[in-house]
Amino acid sequence: LTTDPDGEHAASGRYKASTRVPPELYSPASPGPQREPISTYFEEKVPIPEDDLTKLFSFRKLWAFTGPGFLMSIAYLDPGNIESDLQSGARAGFKLLWVLLGATIIGLLLQRLAARLGVVTGMHLAEVCNRHYPTVPRIILWLMVELAIIGSDMQEVIGSAIALNLLSVGRIPLWAGVLITIIDTFVFLFLDKYGLRKLEAFFGFLITIMALSFGYEYVRVAPNQGEVLKGMFVPYCSGCGPTQLEQAVGVVGAVIMPHNIYLHSALVKSRDINRENKKEVKEANKYYFIESSIALFVSFLINVFVVAVFAEAFYGRTNMEVSLQCNETGSAHSELFPANNETLEVDIYKGGVVLGCFFGPAALYIWAIGILAAGQSSTMTGTYSGQFVMEGFLNLRWSRFARVLLTRSIAIFPTLLVAVFQDVQHLTGMNDFLNVLQSMQLPFALIPILTFTSLTSLMNDFANGLVWKIGGGLVILVVCAINMYFVVVYVTALNSIVLYVFSALLSIAYLSFVSYLVWRCLIALGVSRLDFRGSVQYPPAVLMDEQPEFDS
């Protein structure tokens, strides 16, 4: 019996390894005849047009490969990112746009590694981790990634609830908005029953809504184009202090999401590629990189819209100015801004309110529509991330319905408690904690992706070269260091001895596990002298399109 992890039966028993691969190296257990097939993202595979492989470029092939990159790019547009953008504009003006550009470029390079892993091996990152890490580290990795997914899901719930509250002029309370997100998520799950390409088109539609919504705000506010370009391409922050530094760190942490690496490595498996044909694999890598570049360029523009709007309209403003303007326009939310001369602090809720006060009700409602689209699209990609991670790490084949029910229930419970017993400021304040939580999980995606894309035994001719090994290692080191600084700043602001002690104990365990992953990564990068007892073994590559035979 020949079975691939997507639930499809292969036509033959060929595989790349020269010997019969023992079952312990092939993680997904062959389903017995009594088990029902589980619905996954890969029920169908998109065929690739058979153009001449010698052609440098084909729009038909680019269109066939278009989809996974745009689904991946939605993580760059979730409510947490939007809030980071507007705070960046309100606190630092246009001065941190170059940080956003740099973080997006770094994100593209990391997504390239994720896509290459999926294309070359036919396995996504969670499946590769399952095959190469021992049981205990594998379980810890799974738990860390699940924490990141749940944290991201909570941000999406918060964003959607706030958007519904703004659109209904407060008639839908925040707790009701949180409950509504349970229903709408399951409604969207039925969309993929209509085919993979239609699902991808729907995500494209949601990205278009975000582009139009935030683009409208950009045109309405009309920021200074010279300042936008200067902030984007001049890597300098004149007059910046600790507040702006923390915001710059927050921008990097919000853009690069750990679960997105796992997601993208899985999404690229949705195209019908012959992985025994080196030219086809090379071509797939090329078109996926082009598509990802276009998708992240679009997401970058949308993020720039948000930063520029708040930089132009609200940088340097005080609570008093905003309060007076909201009172003059008869806004029902003027009490959000105390009558003092402190610098204005905004979040995705206050952001919509101040836009309404200064630029009219249309600006508020269109802002809310954009936030709602961001929350809903991110919800679906988070669902897919959770499914791939659970299947890869644990070999559990849950239906998407059960998977969503678990993740969304965990995400909604604490969010609902805050929405019921606290106010909107506490609800939006949860985003800071959630950004810290996801920043802490970054090493658990970035270190494994560099490790496995550097393994010649796994990637063959497509393994990272010396430049990518060194460059990738430095980039990951910088990103992780930046995010650890973000965590330290957040913890030191808690002003609690008990929390300091707890954080210190947690840090010891955390750094120990990160050190273990770095150790294995360095061995994969070629520092074999660190493998003192020869205990780190990486099995040969097994093409997932054509799995080894097993007796049924």
Side-chain angles (χ1 to χ4, degrees), residues 257-328:
M257 309 283 280
H259 65 279
N260 210 33
I261 305 296
Y262 288 87
L263 174 67
H264 198 198
S265 67
L267 293 175
V268 296
K269 293 170 60 179
S270 59
R271 268 49 183 178
D272 191 9
I273 302 166
N274 178 12
R275 291 180 174 81
E276 286 191 335
N277 187 324
K278 183 178 176 181
K279 288 185 177 180
E280 282 195 31
V281 173
K282 186 175 181 180
E283 180 185 65
N285 285 329
K286 177 181 75 174
Y287 282 109
Y288 273 133
F289 183 69
I290 294 171
E291 186 237 0
S292 297
S293 301
I294 296 170
L296 289 187
F297 176 71
V298 172
S299 72
F300 172 70
L301 285 182
I302 295 173
N303 284 313
V304 167
F305 288 162
V306 178
V307 175
V309 163
F310 283 83
E312 180 70 27
F314 306 114
Y315 174 55
R317 288 193 183 272
T318 64
N319 287 322
M320 180 70 77
E321 291 177 82
V322 176
S323 179
L324 290 173
Q325 179 67 28
C326 289
N327 281 323
E328 286 179 13

Coordinates of all heavy atoms in Angstrom, one line a residue, residues 257-328:
M257 N 5.9 36.4 11.9 CA 5.1 35.6 12.8 C 5.6 34.1 12.7 O 5.8 33.6 11.6 CB 3.6 35.6 12.3 CG 3.1 37.0 12.1 SD 2.6 37.8 13.6 CE 1.0 37.0 13.9
P258 N 5.8 33.5 13.8 CA 6.3 32.1 13.8 C 5.5 31.1 13.1 O 6.0 30.3 12.3 CB 6.4 31.8 15.3 CG 5.5 32.8 16.0 CD 5.5 34.0 15.2
H259 N 4.1 31.1 13.3 CA 3.3 30.1 12.7 C 3.2 30.2 11.2 O 2.9 29.3 10.5 CB 1.9 30.0 13.4 CG 1.1 31.3 13.1 ND1 1.3 32.4 13.8 CD2 0.2 31.6 12.2 CE1 0.5 33.4 13.4 NE2 -0.2 32.9 12.4
N260 N 3.6 31.4 10.7 CA 3.5 31.7 9.3 C 4.5 30.9 8.5 O 4.3 30.6 7.3 CB 3.6 33.2 9.0 CG 2.9 33.6 7.8 OD1 1.8 33.1 7.5 ND2 3.4 34.6 7.1
I261 N 5.7 30.6 9.2 CA 6.7 29.8 8.5 C 6.2 28.4 8.3 O 6.4 27.8 7.2 CB 8.0 29.8 9.4 CG1 8.5 31.2 9.7 CG2 9.1 29.0 8.7 CD1 8.9 32.0 8.5
Y262 N 5.5 27.9 9.3 CA 4.9 26.5 9.2 C 3.8 26.5 8.1 O 3.7 25.6 7.3 CB 4.4 26.1 10.5 CG 5.4 25.7 11.6 CD1 6.0 26.7 12.4 CD2 5.9 24.4 11.7 CE1 6.9 26.4 13.3 CE2 6.8 24.1 12.6 CZ 7.4 25.1 13.5 OH 8.3 24.8 14.4
L263 N 3.0 27.6 8.1 CA 1.9 27.7 7.2 C 2.4 27.7 5.7 O 1.9 26.9 4.9 CB 1.1 28.9 7.4 CG 0.0 29.2 6.5 CD1 -1.1 28.2 6.6 CD2 -0.6 30.6 6.7
H264 N 3.4 28.5 5.4 CA 3.8 28.7 4.0 C 4.5 27.4 3.5 O 4.3 27.0 2.3 CB 4.8 29.8 3.9 CG 4.9 30.3 2.5 ND1 6.0 31.1 2.1 CD2 4.2 30.2 1.4 CE1 5.9 31.4 0.9 NE2 4.8 30.8 0.4
S265 N 5.2 26.7 4.4 CA 5.9 25.5 3.9 C 4.8 24.4 3.6 O 5.1 23.5 2.8 CB 6.8 24.9 5.0 OG 6.1 24.5 6.2
A266 N 3.6 24.5 4.1 CA 2.6 23.5 3.8 C 1.7 24.0 2.6 O 1.3 23.2 1.8 CB 1.6 23.4 5.0
L267 N 1.5 25.3 2.5 CA 0.6 25.8 1.4 C 1.2 25.4 0.0 O 0.4 25.2 -1.0 CB 0.4 27.3 1.5 CG -0.4 27.7 2.7 CD1 -0.5 29.2 2.8 CD2 -1.8 27.2 2.7
V268 N 2.5 25.5 -0.1 CA 3.1 25.2 -1.4 C 3.0 23.8 -1.9 O 3.2 23.5 -3.1 CB 4.6 25.6 -1.4 CG1 4.8 27.1 -1.1 CG2 5.4 24.8 -0.4
K269 N 2.5 22.9 -1.0 CA 2.3 21.5 -1.5 C 1.0 21.4 -2.3 O 0.7 20.3 -2.8 CB 2.2 20.6 -0.2 CG 3.5 20.5 0.5 CD 3.2 19.8 1.9 CE 2.7 18.4 1.7 NZ 2.4 17.7 3.0
S270 N 0.3 22.5 -2.5 CA -1.0 22.4 -3.2 C -0.9 22.4 -4.7 O -1.9 22.4 -5.4 CB -1.9 23.6 -2.7 OG -1.3 24.8 -3.0
R271 N 0.3 22.5 -5.2 CA 0.6 22.5 -6.6 C 1.1 21.2 -7.1 O 1.9 20.5 -6.3 CB 1.5 23.6 -7.0 CG 0.8 25.0 -7.4 CD -0.2 25.4 -6.4 NE -0.9 26.6 -6.8 CZ -1.8 27.2 -6.1 NH1 -2.2 26.6 -5.0 NH2 -2.4 28.3 -6.5
D272 N 0.7 20.7 -8.3 CA 1.1 19.4 -8.8 C 2.5 19.5 -9.4 O 2.7 20.0 -10.6 CB 0.1 19.0 -9.8 CG 0.3 17.5 -10.2 OD1 1.1 16.8 -9.5 OD2 -0.4 17.1 -11.1
I273 N 3.5 19.2 -8.6 CA 4.9 19.3 -9.1 C 5.6 17.9 -9.0 O 5.4 17.2 -8.0 CB 5.7 20.2 -8.1 CG1 5.1 21.6 -8.1 CG2 7.2 20.4 -8.6 CD1 5.6 22.5 -7.0
N274 N 6.3 17.6 -10.1 CA 7.0 16.3 -10.1 C 8.4 16.6 -9.4 O 9.3 17.2 -10.0 CB 7.2 15.9 -11.6 CG 8.1 14.6 -11.6 OD1 8.3 13.9 -10.6 ND2 8.5 14.3 -12.8
R275 N 8.5 16.1 -8.2 CA 9.7 16.4 -7.4 C 10.9 15.5 -7.8 O 12.0 15.7 -7.3 CB 9.4 16.3 -5.9 CG 8.5 17.4 -5.5 CD 8.2 17.3 -4.0 NE 7.4 18.5 -3.6 CZ 6.1 18.6 -3.8 NH1 5.4 17.6 -4.3 NH2 5.5 19.7 -3.4
E276 N 10.7 14.6 -8.8 CA 11.9 13.9 -9.3 C 12.5 14.6 -10.4 O 13.6 14.3 -10.8 CB 11.4 12.5 -9.8 CG 11.1 11.5 -8.6 CD 11.0 10.1 -9.2 OE1 10.6 10.0 -10.4 OE2 11.2 9.2 -8.4
N277 N 11.8 15.7 -10.9 CA 12.4 16.5 -12.0 C 13.0 17.7 -11.4 O 12.3 18.6 -11.0 CB 11.2 16.8 -13.0 CG 11.7 17.5 -14.3 OD1 12.7 18.3 -14.2 ND2 11.1 17.2 -15.4
K278 N 14.3 17.8 -11.5 CA 15.0 18.9 -10.9 C 14.6 20.3 -11.5 O 14.5 21.3 -10.8 CB 16.5 18.7 -11.0 CG 17.3 19.8 -10.3 CD 18.8 19.5 -10.4 CE 19.7 20.6 -9.9 NZ 21.1 20.3 -10.0
K279 N 14.4 20.3 -12.8 CA 14.0 21.5 -13.5 C 12.6 22.0 -13.0 O 12.4 23.2 -12.8 CB 14.0 21.3 -15.0 CG 15.4 21.2 -15.6 CD 15.3 21.1 -17.1 CE 16.7 21.1 -17.7 NZ 16.7 21.0 -19.2
E280 N 11.7 21.1 -12.8 CA 10.4 21.5 -12.3 C 10.5 22.0 -10.9 O 9.8 23.0 -10.6 CB 9.4 20.3 -12.3 CG 8.9 20.0 -13.7 CD 7.7 19.1 -13.7 OE1 6.9 19.1 -12.7 OE2 7.5 18.3 -14.6
V281 N 11.3 21.4 -10.0 CA 11.4 21.9 -8.7 C 12.1 23.3 -8.7 O 11.6 24.2 -8.0 CB 12.3 20.9 -7.8 CG1 12.6 21.5 -6.5 CG2 11.6 19.6 -7.7
K282 N 13.1 23.5 -9.5 CA 13.8 24.8 -9.6 C 12.8 25.8 -10.1 O 12.8 27.0 -9.6 CB 15.0 24.7 -10.5 CG 15.8 25.9 -10.6 CD 17.1 25.7 -11.4 CE 17.9 26.9 -11.5 NZ 19.1 26.7 -12.3
E283 N 12.0 25.5 -11.1 CA 11.0 26.4 -11.6 C 9.9 26.8 -10.6 O 9.6 27.9 -10.4 CB 10.3 25.8 -12.8 CG 9.3 26.6 -13.5 CD 8.6 25.9 -14.6 OE1 7.9 24.9 -14.3 OE2 8.8 26.3 -15.8
A284 N 9.5 25.8 -9.8 CA 8.5 26.0 -8.8 C 9.1 27.0 -7.7 O 8.4 27.9 -7.3 CB 8.1 24.7 -8.1
N285 N 10.3 26.8 -7.3 CA 10.9 27.7 -6.4 C 11.0 29.1 -6.9 O 10.7 30.1 -6.2 CB 12.4 27.2 -6.1 CG 12.4 26.0 -5.1 OD1 11.6 25.8 -4.3 ND2 13.5 25.2 -5.3
K286 N 11.3 29.2 -8.2 CA 11.3 30.6 -8.8 C 10.0 31.3 -8.8 O 9.9 32.4 -8.3 CB 11.8 30.5 -10.3 CG 11.9 31.8 -11.0 CD 12.3 31.7 -12.4 CE 11.3 31.0 -13.3 NZ 11.7 31.0 -14.7
Y287 N 9.0 30.6 -9.2 CA 7.6 31.2 -9.3 C 7.0 31.5 -7.9 O 6.4 32.5 -7.7 CB 6.7 30.4 -10.2 CG 6.9 30.5 -11.6 CD1 7.5 29.5 -12.4 CD2 6.6 31.7 -12.3 CE1 7.8 29.6 -13.7 CE2 6.8 31.8 -13.7 CZ 7.4 30.8 -14.4 OH 7.7 31.0 -15.7
Y288 N 7.3 30.6 -7.0 CA 6.8 30.8 -5.6 C 7.5 32.1 -5.0 O 6.9 32.8 -4.3 CB 7.1 29.6 -4.7 CG 5.9 28.6 -4.8 CD1 6.2 27.2 -4.9 CD2 4.6 29.0 -4.7 CE1 5.2 26.3 -5.0 CE2 3.6 28.0 -4.7 CZ 3.9 26.7 -4.9 OH 2.9 25.8 -4.9
F289 N 8.8 32.3 -5.4 CA 9.5 33.5 -4.8 C 8.9 34.7 -5.4 O 8.7 35.7 -4.8 CB 11.0 33.3 -5.1 CG 11.8 34.5 -4.5 CD1 11.9 34.6 -3.2 CD2 12.3 35.4 -5.4 CE1 12.6 35.7 -2.6 CE2 13.0 36.5 -4.8 CZ 13.2 36.6 -3.5
I290 N 8.6 34.7 -6.7 CA 8.1 35.9 -7.4 C 6.7 36.2 -6.8 O 6.4 37.3 -6.5 CB 8.0 35.6 -8.9 CG1 9.3 35.5 -9.6 CG2 7.2 36.7 -9.6 CD1 9.3 35.1 -11.0
E291 N 5.9 35.1 -6.7 CA 4.5 35.3 -6.1 C 4.6 35.9 -4.7 O 3.8 36.8 -4.3 CB 3.8 34.0 -6.2 CG 2.3 34.1 -5.8 CD 1.9 33.2 -4.6 OE1 2.8 32.5 -4.1 OE2 0.7 33.3 -4.2
S292 N 5.5 35.3 -3.9 CA 5.6 35.8 -2.5 C 6.0 37.2 -2.5 O 5.6 38.0 -1.6 CB 6.6 34.9 -1.7 OG 6.1 33.6 -1.6
S293 N 6.9 37.6 -3.4 CA 7.4 39.0 -3.5 C 6.3 39.9 -3.8 O 6.1 41.0 -3.2 CB 8.5 39.1 -4.5 OG 9.6 38.3 -4.2
I294 N 5.4 39.6 -4.7 CA 4.3 40.4 -5.1 C 3.3 40.5 -3.9 O 2.8 41.6 -3.6 CB 3.6 39.8 -6.3 CG1 4.5 39.9 -7.6 CG2 2.3 40.6 -6.6 CD1 4.0 39.1 -8.8
A295 N 3.0 39.4 -3.3 CA 2.1 39.4 -2.2 C 2.6 40.2 -1.0 O 1.8 41.0 -0.4 CB 1.8 37.9 -1.7
L296 N 3.8 40.1 -0.7 CA 4.4 40.9 0.4 C 4.5 42.4 0.1 O 4.5 43.2 0.9 CB 5.7 40.3 0.9 CG 5.6 39.0 1.7 CD1 6.9 38.6 2.3 CD2 4.5 39.0 2.8
F297 N 4.7 42.6 -1.2 CA 4.7 44.1 -1.6 C 3.3 44.7 -1.4 O 3.2 45.8 -0.9 CB 5.1 44.1 -3.1 CG 5.1 45.5 -3.7 CD1 6.0 46.5 -3.3 CD2 4.1 45.9 -4.6 CE1 6.0 47.8 -3.8 CE2 4.0 47.2 -5.1 CZ 5.0 48.2 -4.7
V298 N 2.3 43.9 -1.8 CA 0.9 44.4 -1.6 C 0.7 44.6 -0.1 O 0.1 45.7 0.4 CB -0.1 43.5 -2.2 CG1 -1.5 43.8 -1.8 CG2 0.0 43.4 -3.7
S299 N 1.1 43.7 0.8 CA 0.9 43.8 2.2 C 1.7 45.0 2.8 O 1.2 45.7 3.7 CB 1.2 42.5 2.9 OG 2.6 42.3 3.0
F300 N 2.9 45.2 2.2 CA 3.7 46.3 2.7 C 3.0 47.6 2.4 O 3.0 48.5 3.2 CB 5.1 46.2 2.0 CG 5.9 47.4 2.3 CD1 6.5 47.7 3.5 CD2 6.2 48.3 1.2 CE1 7.2 48.8 3.8 CE2 7.0 49.5 1.5 CZ 7.5 49.7 2.7
L301 N 2.4 47.8 1.2 CA 1.7 49.0 0.8 C 0.6 49.3 1.7 O 0.3 50.4 2.2 CB 1.2 48.9 -0.6 CG 2.3 49.1 -1.8 CD1 1.6 49.0 -3.1 CD2 3.0 50.4 -1.6
I302 N -0.2 48.2 2.1 CA -1.3 48.4 3.0 C -0.8 48.8 4.4 O -1.4 49.7 5.0 CB -2.1 47.1 3.1 CG1 -2.8 46.7 1.7 CG2 -3.2 47.2 4.2 CD1 -3.5 45.4 1.7
N303 N 0.3 48.2 4.8 CA 0.8 48.7 6.1 C 1.3 50.1 6.1 O 1.1 50.9 7.0 CB 2.0 47.7 6.5 CG 1.5 46.4 7.0 OD1 0.6 46.3 7.9 ND2 2.1 45.3 6.6
V304 N 1.9 50.5 4.9 CA 2.4 51.9 4.8 C 1.2 52.8 4.8 O 1.3 53.9 5.4 CB 3.1 52.0 3.4 CG1 3.3 53.5 3.1 CG2 4.5 51.3 3.5
F305 N 0.0 52.4 4.2 CA -1.2 53.3 4.2 C -1.5 53.6 5.7 O -1.8 54.8 6.0 CB -2.3 52.6 3.6 CG -2.3 52.5 2.1 CD1 -3.1 51.5 1.4 CD2 -1.4 53.3 1.4 CE1 -3.0 51.4 0.0 CE2 -1.4 53.2 0.0 CZ -2.2 52.2 -0.7
V306 N -1.5 52.6 6.5 CA -1.9 52.8 7.9 C -0.9 53.7 8.7 O -1.3 54.6 9.4 CB -2.1 51.4 8.7 CG1 -2.5 51.7 10.1 CG2 -3.2 50.6 8.0
V307 N 0.4 53.4 8.5 CA 1.4 54.2 9.2 C 1.3 55.6 8.8 O 1.3 56.5 9.6 CB 2.8 53.6 8.9 CG1 3.9 54.5 9.5 CG2 3.0 52.2 9.5
A308 N 1.2 55.9 7.5 CA 1.2 57.2 7.0 C 0.0 58.0 7.4 O 0.1 59.2 7.7 CB 1.3 57.2 5.4
V309 N -1.1 57.4 7.4 CA -2.4 58.1 7.9 C -2.2 58.6 9.3 O -2.5 59.8 9.6 CB -3.6 57.1 7.8 CG1 -4.7 57.7 8.6 CG2 -4.0 56.9 6.3
F310 N -1.7 57.8 10.2 CA -1.6 58.2 11.6 C -0.4 59.1 11.8 O -0.4 59.9 12.8 CB -1.6 57.0 12.5 CG -3.0 56.4 12.7 CD1 -3.5 55.5 11.8 CD2 -3.8 56.7 13.8 CE1 -4.8 55.0 11.9 CE2 -5.0 56.2 13.9 CZ -5.6 55.4 13.0
A311 N 0.6 58.9 11.0 CA 1.8 59.8 11.1 C 1.4 61.2 10.7 O 1.8 62.2 11.4 CB 2.9 59.3 10.2
E312 N 0.7 61.4 9.6 CA 0.3 62.7 9.1 C -0.7 63.4 10.0 O -0.6 64.6 10.3 CB -0.3 62.5 7.7 CG -0.7 63.8 7.0 CD 0.4 64.7 6.7 OE1 1.5 64.2 6.4 OE2 0.2 66.0 6.6
A313 N -1.7 62.6 10.4 CA -2.9 63.2 11.1 C -2.7 63.3 12.6 O -3.3 64.3 13.2 CB -4.1 62.5 10.8
F314 N -2.0 62.4 13.2 CA -2.0 62.3 14.7 C -0.7 62.3 15.4 O -0.6 62.3 16.6 CB -2.8 61.1 15.1 CG -4.2 61.0 14.5 CD1 -4.5 60.1 13.6 CD2 -5.1 62.0 14.8 CE1 -5.7 60.0 13.0 CE2 -6.4 62.0 14.2 CZ -6.7 61.0 13.3
Y315 N 0.4 62.4 14.6 CA 1.8 62.4 15.3 C 1.9 63.7 16.0 O 1.7 64.8 15.5 CB 2.9 62.3 14.2 CG 4.3 62.4 14.8 CD1 4.7 61.7 15.9 CD2 5.1 63.4 14.3 CE1 6.0 61.8 16.4 CE2 6.4 63.5 14.8 CZ 6.8 62.7 15.8 OH 8.1 62.9 16.3
G316 N 2.3 63.7 17.3 CA 2.5 64.8 18.1 C 1.2 65.5 18.7 O 1.3 66.5 19.4
R317 N 0.1 64.9 18.4 CA -1.2 65.5 19.0 C -1.3 65.1 20.4 O -0.8 64.0 20.9 CB -2.4 65.0 18.2 CG -2.5 65.7 16.8 CD -3.9 65.4 16.2 NE -4.0 66.0 14.8 CZ -4.3 67.2 14.6 NH1 -4.6 68.1 15.6 NH2 -4.4 67.6 13.3
T318 N -2.1 65.9 21.2 CA -2.3 65.6 22.6 C -3.8 65.1 22.8 O -4.6 65.3 21.9 CB -2.1 66.9 23.4 OG1 -3.1 67.9 23.0 CG2 -0.7 67.4 23.3
N319 N -4.0 64.5 23.9 CA -5.4 64.1 24.3 C -6.4 65.3 24.2 O -7.5 65.1 23.8 CB -5.4 63.4 25.6 CG -4.7 62.1 25.6 OD1 -4.9 61.3 24.7 ND2 -4.0 61.7 26.7
M320 N -5.9 66.5 24.7 CA -6.7 67.6 24.7 C -7.2 68.0 23.3 O -8.4 68.3 23.1 CB -6.0 68.8 25.4 CG -6.8 70.1 25.4 SD -8.1 70.0 26.7 CE -7.2 70.2 28.2
E321 N -6.3 68.0 22.4 CA -6.7 68.4 21.0 C -7.8 67.4 20.4 O -8.7 67.8 19.8 CB -5.5 68.3 20.1 CG -4.4 69.4 20.3 CD -3.2 69.3 19.4 OE1 -3.3 69.7 18.2 OE2 -2.2 68.7 19.8
V322 N -7.5 66.1 20.7 CA -8.4 65.1 20.1 C -9.8 65.2 20.9 O -10.9 65.1 20.2 CB -7.8 63.7 20.3 CG1 -8.8 62.7 19.8 CG2 -6.6 63.6 19.5
S323 N -9.8 65.4 22.2 CA -11.0 65.5 22.9 C -11.8 66.7 22.5 O -13.1 66.6 22.3 CB -10.7 65.7 24.4 OG -11.8 65.8 25.2
L324 N -11.2 67.8 22.2 CA -11.9 69.0 21.8 C -12.6 68.8 20.4 O -13.7 69.1 20.1 CB -11.0 70.2 21.7 CG -10.6 70.8 23.1 CD1 -9.5 71.9 22.9 CD2 -11.8 71.3 23.9
Q325 N -11.8 68.1 19.5 CA -12.3 67.9 18.2 C -13.5 66.9 18.2 O -14.5 67.1 17.5 CB -11.2 67.3 17.3 CG -11.6 67.0 15.9 CD -11.9 68.2 15.0 OE1 -11.4 69.3 15.3 NE2 -12.8 68.0 14.1
C326 N -13.4 65.9 19.0 CA -14.5 64.9 19.1 C -15.7 65.5 19.7 O -16.8 65.2 19.3 CB -14.0 63.7 20.0 SG -12.8 62.6 19.2
N327 N -15.5 66.4 20.7 CA -16.7 67.1 21.3 C -17.3 68.0 20.2 O -18.6 68.1 20.2 CB -16.2 68.0 22.5 CG -16.1 67.1 23.7 OD1 -16.8 66.2 23.9 ND2 -15.1 67.5 24.5
E328 N -16.5 68.7 19.4 CA -17.1 69.6 18.4 C -17.9 68.8 17.3 O -18.9 69.3 16.8 CB -16.0 70.3 17.7 CG -15.3 71.4 18.5 CD -14.2 72.1 17.8 OE1 -14.1 71.9 16.5 OE2 -13.5 72.9 18.4

